[in-house]
Amino acid sequence: MKRTVLFLGIIGLALGLGASAAPLSVCSYISPETNLQSLGLSMSYRYYDDWATPGVDASGGRAALDFSRLYDSPDFGYTLTGNAELLLANFLPTSGLGDAAGTFRYYFTQDAPAFGFGGVEASVATGQPQPAVHISAGLGYGRFSDVTPLAKAFKIETELRKANAIRNPLGDSALMGIAKVIGTVYASTKDQVADVVNQIQVASGVALDPRLVLKVEDLVLATGDERFCGWAVQAGVGYQLVDPYNQPQGFLVTASADAAFVPNPDGQVLFHAGLSGPLNILDQNTLRVRASYDYVLSETSLLRATYTLLQVQPLGQPASTSQIAALLLGFVVGRADMGLQVSLSKPANASAWSIDVSVSAAINFVY
């Protein structure tokens, strides 16, 4: 357990420090207010029945739901998250893993991201008699920021260079200036785009033709590819409302680390680790880990990788560990929608990993 906690701490610290390592990266942008939410659903299923043999030959798959809401302002912030993954056989759930959490943060000052927090967290997994629910409160340090405006500025520069409209990079100060314009609420989007174009032309010394102006407008107004960066660590005390193994309720020690990093304008890395347990936390605890990586390969393709771990260590009993890893690749080829999904899972009551591979294709002919 000590090695696991140390390893998770190193990962969280590396992700947090990575956001500020480069002279100007997407994570260099600081937004006055962050308000982001996302909802994702993925599913794969394979059904095969050879009528020459008795019974159904293959019938199984996987379904996953992912929700998050992040709000951060100079004075307070809150986070809502929920994840659920189910393995299916004969169209019915056979095993699963899920967790949900809500945290409210109050920042003591606007200059330093020190905060007090209160929250609730719940989890459920196959092999546990019942869900686990606890509340907690304590202190923490860190903050998250919506960096979508600077990600769009980098994309604009990339598209202009691909079109040979500009020969040299716009420069850090110009990119940051463009990001601030994109991040400002304008009464008219026409005025906002005009200010972005003006900054590009001043920095590059090149006048953009109408076609490129329309391209810049599309990137400025684009939605659906929000990016955010930051990190936060917090620790406190809590109370176990429901114990997954019906053990006595009592006070807990809680600690968690979160990190968000944008390696490039098309990618997003998220990490969360939480540990809770009584004062003898090394002998009795609950460890939750979730990591994800999203990358937009092109306008018609997307890559998403996720990993989830839930480990419950009851007092005097063997640890119950559930793990799920999944890789999803979706893309469009001409008129066809293609999908490839690979998932690895190991429920707490399973002795070995299982693998599920799903490939799908659909095409629509229009005459």
Side-chain angles (χ1 to χ4, degrees):
M1 173 58 68
K2 290 182 179 179
R3 291 182 179 179
T4 301
V5 175
L6 178 60
F7 176 69
L8 296 176
I10 292 174
I11 291 178
L13 180 62
L15 289 173
L17 294 177
S20 58
L24 182 68
S25 67
V26 179
C27 291
S28 300
Y29 183 84
I30 304 297
S31 62
E33 183 181 86
T34 297
N35 190 1
L36 300 172
Q37 65 178 356
S38 65
L39 176 64
L41 174 65
S42 62
M43 181 175 180
S44 65
Y45 202 89
R46 180 173 182 263
Y47 180 88
Y48 175 71
D49 185 7
D50 185 351
W51 289 1
T53 61
V56 177
D57 296 273
S59 179
R62 168 187 174 272
L65 179 67
D66 188 314
F67 170 78
S68 67
R69 175 70 186 271
L70 171 65
Y71 178 82
D72 225 345
S73 69
D75 297 320
F76 71 94
Y78 62 87
T79 304
L80 302 173
T81 61
N83 304 281
E85 301 195 38
L86 290 175
L87 298 182
L88 308 172
N90 298 319
F91 301 100
L92 297 174
T94 58
S95 63
L97 172 64
D99 64 83
T103 302
F104 179 84
R105 300 178 296 276
Y106 176 78
Y107 294 98
F108 301 122
T109 67
Q110 296 185 2
D111 298 329
F115 59 84
F117 77 90
V120 59
E121 189 165 351
S123 63
V124 63
T126 303
Q128 295 180 9
Q130 61 185 15
V133 183
H134 76 262
I135 56 175
S136 60
L139 302 175
Y141 191 89
R143 191 186 289 274
F144 293 93
S145 181
D146 182 0
V147 299
T148 307
L150 187 53
K152 290 183 176 182
F154 274 107
K155 287 184 179 182
I156 290 172
E157 180 188 55
T158 299
E159 291 299 322
L160 292 178
R161 298 197 70 184
K162 283 183 180 179
N164 294 320
I166 57 176
R167 295 184 178 180
N168 301 313
L170 294 174
D172 292 353
S173 60
L175 287 171
M176 187 60 74
I178 293 170
K180 290 180 178 179
V181 172
I182 296 175
T184 302
V185 178
Y186 276 66
S188 168
T189 56
K190 180 179 179 181
D191 294 337
Q192 185 180 35
V193 173
D195 283 351
V196 171
V197 171
N198 180 63
Q199 293 216 21
I200 295 172
Q201 294 180 154
V202 171
S204 64
V206 176
L208 301 184
D209 61 45
R211 178 180 59 84
L212 292 174
V213 172
L214 290 176
K215 182 63 176 179
V216 170
E217 181 178 5
D218 289 341
L219 292 172
V220 170
L221 303 180
T223 59
D225 289 331
E226 287 75 15
R227 300 284 181 259
F228 67 100
C229 293
W231 59 271
V233 292
Q234 58 189 43
V237 295
Y239 188 80
Q240 187 82 42
L241 298 178
V242 181
D243 186 88
Y245 288 89
N246 293 313
Q247 296 188 3
Q249 298 175 337
F251 289 96
L252 304 172
V253 177
T254 67
S256 67
D258 293 89
F261 178 57
V262 180
N264 56 65
D266 292 315
Q268 176 78 70
V269 177
L270 301 177
F271 174 81
H272 169 76
L275 181 67
S276 62
L279 293 179
N280 58 334
I281 193 170
L282 296 181
D283 300 320
Q284 182 181 357
N285 57 72
T286 299
L287 173 66
R288 302 174 180 86
V289 177
R290 181 169 177 83
S292 67
Y293 175 63
D294 291 270
Y295 184 72
V296 179
L297 299 171
S298 68
E299 294 183 355
T300 58
S301 58
L302 171 69
L303 175 69
R304 177 173 175 80
T306 61
Y307 172 75
T308 304
L309 176 144
L310 174 62
Q311 179 177 287
V312 179
Q313 175 63 69
L315 182 62
Q317 301 181 35
S320 172
T321 304
S322 300
Q323 300 180 74
I324 295 180
L327 177 67
L328 173 64
L329 175 63
F331 51 94
V332 177
V333 179
R335 295 177 179 173
D337 294 321
M338 309 290 293
L340 169 64
Q341 180 166 285
V342 180
S343 63
L344 294 168
S345 61
K346 187 179 182 300
N349 55 358
S351 59
W353 287 83
S354 62
I355 183 171
D356 177 62
V357 180
S358 174
V359 179
S360 62
I363 187 169
N364 182 30
F365 294 98
V366 179
Y367 295 97

